[in-house]
Amino acid sequence: MDDIVDQWARERPDMDLAPMALVGRYNRFHAHVEAGLREYFAKHGLDFSEFDVLATLRRSGEPYELNARALLKSAMVTSGAITNRVDKLSGKGLVERRPCATDRRAVMIRLTPAGKELIDDIVMGHVANEARLVEVLTDEERTQLDGILRKLLIAKEGSPS
C-alpha cells in the first residue's frame, strides 16, 4: 500500500492520498479476516451465513427460535437468502421450521438440539479466532479501532450496530 500511495503522490502531488491508504489497508485486512473466518467455519461444516443464522437463534434466548422476519432483520439480506440459509441448515438437521402459535401465516425457525450443541461448541472458538486476527493490537488500540469503526458505521447506516 505504501508503494501505491508513493507512486500516486509522485504522479499527483496535488491529491490527498490518506483516504486511499486507509481504505486500501482496510480492504486488505478485511480479506484476511474473511479468510480466517471462512477457514474456521469450514472446519465445522458451516459457512459464515450459516453460522450467522445459528448464532442469531442462539443469542435470542430460549426457545432459540425467531420468525423469518426477525432473522431477516438481523442478517440484513433478502428473504430469498434467508430461505436458502434455513434450507441448508434444515437439511443438516441444525434448525427446524415450526408453525407460529399466534399467526398461522408465519413460520418460526428454531434451533434443533444438534444446532444448539454445534453453536455452543464453536462460538468460543470463533471468538478466540477473532481475537487471534487482531492480536497485534493492544487492548487500548482495539478499543480505539472499535470506536472509529462504530463511528463510520453510524455515519453510513444511522445505527450504532
Side-chain angles (χ1 to χ4, degrees):
M1 201 65 237
D2 289 337
D3 290 341
I4 292 168
V5 171
D6 288 346
Q7 290 168 345
W8 275 113
R10 185 186 66 240
E11 295 299 315
R12 292 292 308 267
D14 58 312
M15 290 175 47
D16 174 11
L17 300 169
M20 177 187 283
L22 177 64
V23 171
R25 286 188 178 96
Y26 167 82
N27 282 334
R28 288 183 60 194
F29 182 68
H30 182 260
H32 290 283
V33 169
E34 279 191 328
L37 295 177
R38 189 172 39 253
E39 181 181 315
Y40 179 76
F41 295 135
K43 289 177 185 176
H44 301 283
L46 299 173
D47 63 29
F48 180 80
S49 66
E50 292 169 314
F51 171 84
D52 185 41
V53 170
L54 295 176
T56 299
L57 290 169
R58 178 60 175 93
R59 71 177 184 261
S60 72
E62 288 192 54
Y64 312 116
E65 74 177 11
L66 294 168
N67 62 34
R69 180 172 297 171
L71 274 176
L72 189 63
K73 182 179 178 188
S74 172
M76 295 183 292
V77 295
T78 66
S79 60
I82 286 294
T83 299
N84 289 338
R85 290 175 185 186
V86 170
D87 286 348
K88 286 169 59 177
L89 291 166
S90 178
K92 294 178 180 183
L94 301 174
V95 301
E96 61 186 2
R97 290 179 171 92
R98 303 166 53 92
C100 179
T102 59
D103 182 354
R104 291 185 355 191
R105 298 168 296 164
V107 174
M108 302 300 289
I109 314 304
R110 179 182 281 196
L111 279 179
T112 63
K116 182 179 179 295
E117 183 178 338
L118 177 63
I119 193 64
D120 283 347
D121 285 347
I122 69 174
V123 73
M124 278 183 70
H126 166 61
V127 173
N129 185 42
E130 289 178 322
R132 180 189 59 78
L133 292 166
V134 295
E135 69 188 352
V136 300
L137 300 177
T138 65
D139 288 345
E140 182 180 342
E141 288 169 331
R142 282 195 301 254
T143 299
Q144 289 173 341
L145 180 58
D146 182 59
I148 292 165
L149 292 171
R150 186 175 197 274
K151 181 177 181 177
L152 288 168
L153 288 172
I154 290 170
K156 293 296 179 190
E157 298 175 356
S159 168
S161 298

